[in-house]
Amino acid sequence: LQCTAKDHVIDNPIIYSWIGLGKVIENAGMIFINRQKGKGWAAMQEAAAGLASAMTRAQASGLTVRPVDKRHWQDEVERFRFVFDDAFAEEWEHHPMRPSEARAVLDQVKPVLDPRQLVFVEVDGERAGLALGQPDLGPLFRTFRGRVGPLEVVRLLRGAKRAARVGVLGVAVRPRFQGQGVGAAAVAAVFARYRELGHTTAGYYPVNADNVASRALAESFGGKGRATLACFSRAASVTG
């Protein structure tokens, strides 16, 4: 397990952009630690030890967590579709996605997608689950005032990395792998990425009020529920 300080590499424009060494190290899979409050080397050691422990537990249980591979995008989109459809097959409101539908949705986010915000989990080589996170781009879009041109595209690509709010949008675990820590491993990987980027809070949404398992998973990471949408129903009456 190799790690280095985020402020030394990622936040240093000379090292990261001008020389290009930061990008090379980032692509090689180096783990970056966000140092805060003067903890310095001790904080790095503590974080590295925690990551190593988590990796050891995952390997012992046969879990493999990895980010999406944009070099094989079409294969990854199909993997997403397969896991998502199997995970929600029994949900009454779910409709299976056609391959073209999955591509239409994911192709739009590919340019601004941080690969480590879409992670897949495998159990002994089998597709088991996934988690998808995304920055809140709403405030940025509002500044466009309905305009979409080259300037807005550039601002979008830059702004996706600087969003003030981030969160996990969806977690999918195939039924046969539920209860094995697959969802927790996927969410932990996305949250770890947000910590590296300097975020101190992240959302986990949306969750149905009666989804006990998903609520428990969110709360296991310190999440606190907040009602954002209420649906009401009433019995239909027939007259006449």
Side-chain angles (χ1 to χ4, degrees):
L1 180 67
Q2 299 181 359
C3 66
T4 188
K6 176 175 176 287
D7 55 291
H8 282 173
V9 179
I10 301 298
D11 298 336
N12 188 323
I14 297 178
I15 297 296
Y16 187 79
S17 299
W18 296 359
I19 300 178
L21 180 60
K23 294 183 179 180
V24 174
I25 295 176
E26 185 177 36
N27 292 332
M30 180 72 74
I31 294 174
F32 297 98
I33 307 302
N34 188 47
R35 304 189 301 175
Q36 295 179 344
K37 298 181 180 180
K39 293 182 179 179
W41 178 250
M44 291 178 63
Q45 290 289 82
E46 180 181 357
L51 288 169
S53 176
M55 291 172 65
T56 300
R57 290 196 303 271
Q59 292 173 354
S61 59
L63 297 181
T64 300
V65 184
R66 67 167 181 83
V68 64
D69 186 350
K70 288 188 175 182
R71 296 170 301 177
H72 303 93
W73 182 251
Q74 298 305 324
D75 292 337
E76 297 290 65
V77 170
E78 176 57 25
R79 182 184 300 273
F80 179 96
R81 187 184 72 87
F82 174 83
V83 172
F84 192 86
D85 280 346
D86 193 29
F88 294 100
E90 299 302 318
E91 295 287 339
W92 68 269
E93 72 271 33
H94 176 66
H95 297 278
M97 290 186 288
R98 293 192 295 269
S100 59
E101 293 173 329
R103 290 194 299 269
V105 172
L106 293 178
D107 284 357
Q108 295 184 61
V109 302
K110 181 184 177 183
V112 297
L113 177 66
D114 178 343
R116 292 178 60 187
Q117 290 189 65
L118 173 54
V119 301
F120 294 102
V121 181
E122 298 175 350
V123 176
D124 296 327
E126 290 194 61
R127 296 169 288 187
L130 62 86
L132 172 63
Q134 184 175 322
D136 180 4
L137 300 177
L140 178 60
F141 277 120
R142 285 195 289 272
T143 66
F144 295 172
R145 298 184 181 278
R147 297 186 298 269
V148 180
L151 177 60
E152 285 72 31
V153 171
V154 172
R155 291 178 59 194
L156 177 61
L157 293 175
R158 289 184 174 181
K161 299 180 180 179
R162 304 172 182 173
R165 296 196 307 173
V166 293
V168 173
L169 291 181
V171 182
V173 180
R174 298 176 61 196
R176 59 177 295 200
F177 296 107
Q178 293 177 2
Q180 301 180 35
V182 172
V187 173
V190 177
F191 281 166
R193 176 56 172 165
Y194 291 150
R195 170 184 280 183
E196 292 175 12
L197 294 175
H199 294 283
T200 57
T201 61
Y204 181 105
Y205 38 73
V207 179
N208 291 335
D210 58 353
N211 191 335
V212 178
S214 190
R215 290 178 62 183
L217 177 57
E219 291 169 358
S220 72
F221 287 97
K224 297 182 179 180
R226 180 167 60 91
T228 58
L229 178 65
C231 297
F232 299 88
S233 62
R234 59 175 295 177
S237 59
V238 179
T239 61

